[in-house]
Amino acid sequence: MPTLNENTQLGGQALERIVFTAAELSERTHTLGRLISEAYTAQDRLLVLGLLKGSFLFMADLVRAIHLPLHVDFLIASSYGSDKVSSGDVQLLYDPAASLKGRAVLIVEDIIDSGTTLNRLIPRLKARDPTSVEVCALLHKRLTNLDHEARWVGFDAPNEFLVGYGLDYAEDFRHLPYVASL
Ligand code: IMP
Ligand code: MG
């Protein structure tokens, strides 16, 4: 695996330190998959909705650890441009094609920061008649109380800007197999 120093060259900025290793991410994702598998049954018609782009790697690993019939779809909600600070404005750039009606919806998010994305998104999804809406977030900065708290969280994250394993800084660093701070 490339070292932190080699990956420093992959984006415009230097990485500070590895916060969660690939092995830690993998182990925790498998545990989350098991807990989620125990929380639903096949009758729930689970629909796993990944928030792009940040959740793409976590989503891919998580669904392979869930041992239930399920469908997969994605949603693109954008609240960040190339800046590190949320603009507070959430746009739905791609909406799931799948119907939510009568399904148990599980939203998969990479990281919860201000909570704005989920606070704005969840009411819109609930309006479409799913039987339930839950959130599984890989990382949670615990900065605010969400209107609808995440049922499953991978790790509490430090209040630093994190990249890797799907998370980006201006689109760089998403492909790193670990989570690092900038
Ligand atoms: P929130 O709406 O403020 O909770 O922000 C949620 C979204 O902002 C996440 O899905 C990420 O895409 C992005 N984000 C928040 N914090 C970070 C970070 O530390 N690194 C990379 N992206 C982040
Ligand atoms: Mg995101």
Side-chain angles (χ1 to χ4, degrees), residues 40-41 44-50 59 63 66 69-75 96-108 125 128 130-134:
Y40 295 96
T41 67
D44 291 322
R45 303 174 65 231
L46 187 59
L47 173 65
V48 186
L49 264 187
M59 175 85 169
V63 292
I66 300 176
L70 59 81
H71 287 187
V72 165
D73 210 330
F74 293 95
L75 199 115
S99 165
L100 309 191
K101 194 173 163 57
R103 308 200 69 117
V105 172
L106 178 63
I107 301 170
V108 176
L125 296 181
R128 295 188 205 174
T131 45
S132 63
V133 176
E134 298 290 354

Side-chain angles (χ1 to χ4, degrees), residues 80 109-111 113-117 141 160-162 167-168:
Y80 282 64
E109 173 69 306
D110 53 355
I111 184 165
D113 184 28
S114 71
T116 307
T117 307
K141 289 189 183 169
E160 295 171 63
F161 199 81
L162 303 176
L167 289 89
D168 72 307

